[in-house]
Amino acid sequence: MTVELISVGTEILLGNIVNTNASFLAEKCAALGMANYYQISVGDNEERLSGVINTALSRSDIIILTGGLGPTEDDLTKEVTAKVLKRRLVEDAGSRSRIEEYFKGRERKDITENNWKQALIIEGCQVVENNNGTAPGLIVKTEEGKIIILMPGPPGEMIPMFEESIVPYLKTLSENVLYSEMVKICGIGESKAETMIKDMIDSQTNPTIAPYAKNGEVHLRVTALAATKEEGMLLTAPVVAELKKRFGSHIYTTDEKVTIEEAVINLLTKFNLTVSTAESCSGGLLAGRLVNVSGASAVFEEGFITYSNKAKMKYLGVSESTLKKYGAVSSETAKEMAAGAAKAAGSLAALSVTGIAGPEGGTESKPVGLVYIGCYFDGKIEVREFHFKGNRQKVREYTVISALDFLRTSLVNAYGEAIENNR
């Protein structure tokens, strides 16, 4: 089956918001085995939206529209879709009741007349409940057997609706089962990772391997088409085993829901370890990633943001002579920052970050993107030098990912046998 994605909203065309919905849906649909040849963004204009929907119906089996389901006049998706299909809009009692309940639980309980617009649905459609907002989703089957799915635009509403309701529906459209496993890799770039498995990709039939590049990571989705889930597991098992053999400790998880920070927190928790952070150029992003994880308080002691040399000396005990001789961005300073953080916090492990995020501040000897990351663990300190490319935000993001993976690999090297036995 082919799927086409249509993102509705003039704000997308103007660049006021980043269209993350299309990226999310494209990846999820690919995992479901659907071919996606077209992705369209269209403004809140009846004529253009109508043309886009008609074109999509002529070439795709499933059309997914996001956005334009709000209560205002420029929210046209439902109305235009109904006109294209020559169907009426009718009020859905269940949707009206949910809108009433939604406003009862809010500080402002007054429901304006235009809110009831969201209780209107396309005649003959299947209503999809929105547990995070007022606009329900709709699934419409055309007389020709095509399927149109309408979902709200805000990711906080669209994503849970898609995962909870649309994915199970889409799975019913195929007689076979698509079973997939995710292999997440850190510390190896996309081009190198692809080179390492080029022979596997060139010869693949079923299952298939699909690489996805993330910031500082590479994700490999292994997908098998099978009659049952159990058969799919048998098909993917040898492929995943071969990937583990090739990438070794660079694989931090085979659980799609686990992030790099969760993998680190899980290891620290498993071995009753604590960690602290000392950050300069990352400005707290590293600590922020760690505390993203529920339960991090059990292992995360303290985070120091020491942007100035004065702060490095005051809170981490970095010597003035080190800063004068080697500079704030140096292996020596990173080493003292890591040791100082562990000592000040009383933690068993510590990460330090110092670098030049740019766009200013670089020199010939210390260019923008130069970052030193220190890792204190088991009484030893190791420092690694990195040269990242990209803008300020990219440099900081890559720094955080690399720091987390630095600590992870240190733990893997120390507890490798115990980790392997519990995989």
Side-chain angles (χ1 to χ4, degrees), residues 204-253:
Q204 68 185 5
T205 51
N206 184 33
T208 58
I209 305 171
Y212 300 93
K214 306 289 182 179
N215 283 341
E217 301 182 35
V218 177
H219 297 177
L220 303 175
R221 183 182 293 280
V222 182
T223 304
L225 182 66
T228 64
K229 178 182 177 180
E230 290 71 25
E231 183 183 327
M233 293 173 69
L234 289 174
L235 287 169
T236 59
V239 177
V240 172
E242 181 61 23
L243 292 175
K244 287 182 177 180
K245 179 181 176 182
R246 297 193 185 195
F247 291 103
S249 62
H250 288 290
I251 297 175
Y252 71 83
T253 187

Side-chain angles (χ1 to χ4, degrees), residues 118-134:
Q118 295 182 300
L120 296 175
I121 63 170
I122 298 173
E123 188 178 27
C125 77
Q126 177 180 331
V127 178
V128 181
E129 288 190 25
N130 184 350
N131 297 316
N132 298 280
T134 55

Side-chain angles (χ1 to χ4, degrees), residues 6-12 17 21 42-45 49 53 65-81 89 117-118 120 122 135-136 138 150-154 157-158:
I6 301 175
S7 305
V8 183
T10 303
E11 66 275 13
I12 298 172
I17 64 169
N21 286 350
V42 61
D44 302 300
N45 177 277
L49 179 54
I53 294 173
L65 295 104
T66 55
L69 298 182
T72 61
E73 276 190 31
D74 64 346
D75 291 309
L76 301 168
T77 302
K78 186 167 47 183
E79 290 76 6
V80 173
T81 303
L89 288 175
K117 174 187 174 186
Q118 295 182 300
L120 296 175
I122 298 173
L138 306 178
L150 287 71
M151 291 189 292
E157 298 178 35
M158 186 278 291

Side-chain angles (χ1 to χ4, degrees), residues 68-334:
L69 298 182
T72 61
E73 276 190 31
D74 64 346
D75 291 309
L76 301 168
T77 302
K78 186 167 47 183
E79 290 76 6
V80 173
T81 303
K83 282 187 178 181
V84 169
L85 299 178
K86 296 181 173 58
R87 297 192 190 181
R88 295 184 305 140
L89 288 175
V90 295
E91 185 171 276
D92 176 56
S95 295
R96 186 181 179 94
S97 176
R98 282 188 290 274
I99 291 171
E100 289 176 339
E101 288 299 318
Y102 180 84
F103 278 95
K104 281 181 183 178
R106 296 173 67 85
E107 187 176 335
R108 290 186 59 191
K109 301 184 187 299
D110 53 313
I111 306 177
T112 57
E113 190 60 34
N114 59 357
N115 283 118
W116 300 123
K117 174 187 174 186
Q118 295 182 300
L120 296 175
I121 63 170
I122 298 173
E123 188 178 27
C125 77
Q126 177 180 331
V127 178
V128 181
E129 288 190 25
N130 184 350
N131 297 316
N132 298 280
T134 55
L138 306 178
I139 299 173
V140 190
K141 288 185 179 180
T142 72
E143 293 179 1
E144 297 74 24
K146 303 294 181 77
I147 297 169
I148 303 178
I149 298 172
L150 287 71
M151 291 189 292
E157 298 178 35
M158 186 278 291
I159 291 175
M161 179 183 289
F162 185 81
E163 292 183 329
E164 294 166 9
S165 302
I166 305 302
V167 168
Y169 170 78
L170 293 175
K171 285 182 177 179
T172 65
L173 302 180
S174 174
E175 293 181 359
N176 293 313
V177 171
L178 274 167
Y179 177 80
S180 66
E181 291 195 37
M182 182 70 84
V183 176
K184 296 186 177 183
I185 300 164
C186 208
I188 293 181
E190 180 187 11
S191 56
K192 183 179 179 181
E194 187 175 8
T195 300
M196 290 174 66
I197 58 170
K198 190 175 185 303
D199 61 313
M200 296 176 71
I201 293 176
D202 288 344
S203 61
Q204 68 185 5
T205 51
N206 184 33
T208 58
I209 305 171
Y212 300 93
K214 306 289 182 179
N215 283 341
E217 301 182 35
V218 177
H219 297 177
L220 303 175
R221 183 182 293 280
V222 182
T223 304
L225 182 66
T228 64
K229 178 182 177 180
E230 290 71 25
E231 183 183 327
M233 293 173 69
L234 289 174
L235 287 169
T236 59
V239 177
V240 172
E242 181 61 23
L243 292 175
K244 287 182 177 180
K245 179 181 176 182
R246 297 193 185 195
F247 291 103
S249 62
H250 288 290
I251 297 175
Y252 71 83
T253 187
T254 54
D255 186 334
E256 184 169 3
K257 296 181 180 179
V258 172
T259 62
I260 182 69
E261 55 264 36
E262 286 176 312
V264 170
I265 293 295
N266 290 342
L267 286 174
L268 291 168
T269 303
K270 180 178 179 61
F271 298 108
N272 297 313
L273 301 171
T274 54
V275 67
S276 57
T277 57
E279 303 179 65
S280 186
C281 67
S282 53
L285 285 180
L286 177 56
R289 284 290 289 268
L290 288 169
V291 299
N292 275 345
V293 183
S294 177
S297 57
V299 297
F300 182 58
E301 293 284 6
E302 290 186 64
F304 300 90
I305 303 175
T306 54
Y307 211 68
S308 68
N309 286 353
K310 182 178 179 181
K312 291 178 178 65
M313 292 187 287
K314 179 179 179 180
Y315 297 106
L316 303 175
V318 177
S319 70
E320 186 175 5
S321 60
T322 296
L323 291 168
K324 285 183 177 180
K325 185 175 181 180
Y326 302 104
V329 181
S330 64
S331 174
E332 291 78 9
T333 296

